[in-house]
Amino acid sequence: MPTYIALLNWTDQGVRNYKDTAQRAETFGAAAQKIGAKLLNIYWTVGPYDLVAVVEAPDDETATAAILQVGGVGNVRSTTLRAFGREEMERIVAKAAG
């Protein structure tokens, strides 16, 4: 299943409610699962992003829906990246090489 990396920053609302962050992550995981995505892991980070979420979804539409759900609550803003594992990258390179 395709993997997506979501780089998340807390909004003013999100940082005000920092005490609920672990529960919000659990809620995000459950909501993602209901629409067919899976929260593989979430990391709280130091640096330009406050959190990094690793999500699997069957397609871009499902991944986007999951990220829209988490963003729609108002606690985070996101930048989402499609990630390719080693086997996927080897197929991409083989295709590019002809």
Side-chain angles (χ1 to χ4, degrees):
M1 202 167 356
T3 302
Y4 301 84
I5 309 297
L7 305 173
L8 305 165
N9 278 313
W10 281 333
T11 61
D12 289 341
Q13 172 185 307
V15 77
R16 270 194 312 272
N17 298 313
Y18 71 91
K19 292 178 183 177
D20 300 331
T21 188
Q23 178 58 44
R24 291 194 314 245
E26 193 172 311
T27 300
F28 170 47
Q33 193 165 18
K34 284 183 182 176
I35 62 169
K38 183 177 181 185
L39 177 61
L40 296 179
N41 218 327
I42 190 160
Y43 301 95
W44 287 261
T45 57
V46 176
Y49 297 97
D50 298 313
L51 303 102
V52 176
V54 182
V55 177
E56 278 187 344
D59 51 50
D60 291 347
E61 291 83 4
T62 304
T64 302
I67 298 303
L68 282 172
Q69 281 185 337
V70 74
V73 176
N75 292 309
V76 294
R77 294 198 190 331
S78 66
T79 300
T80 306
L81 309 166
R82 169 64 167 91
F84 298 94
R86 181 186 178 108
E87 289 179 9
E88 290 173 299
M89 197 61 212
E90 287 173 347
R91 287 193 303 271
I92 292 167
V93 169
K95 190 177 280 191

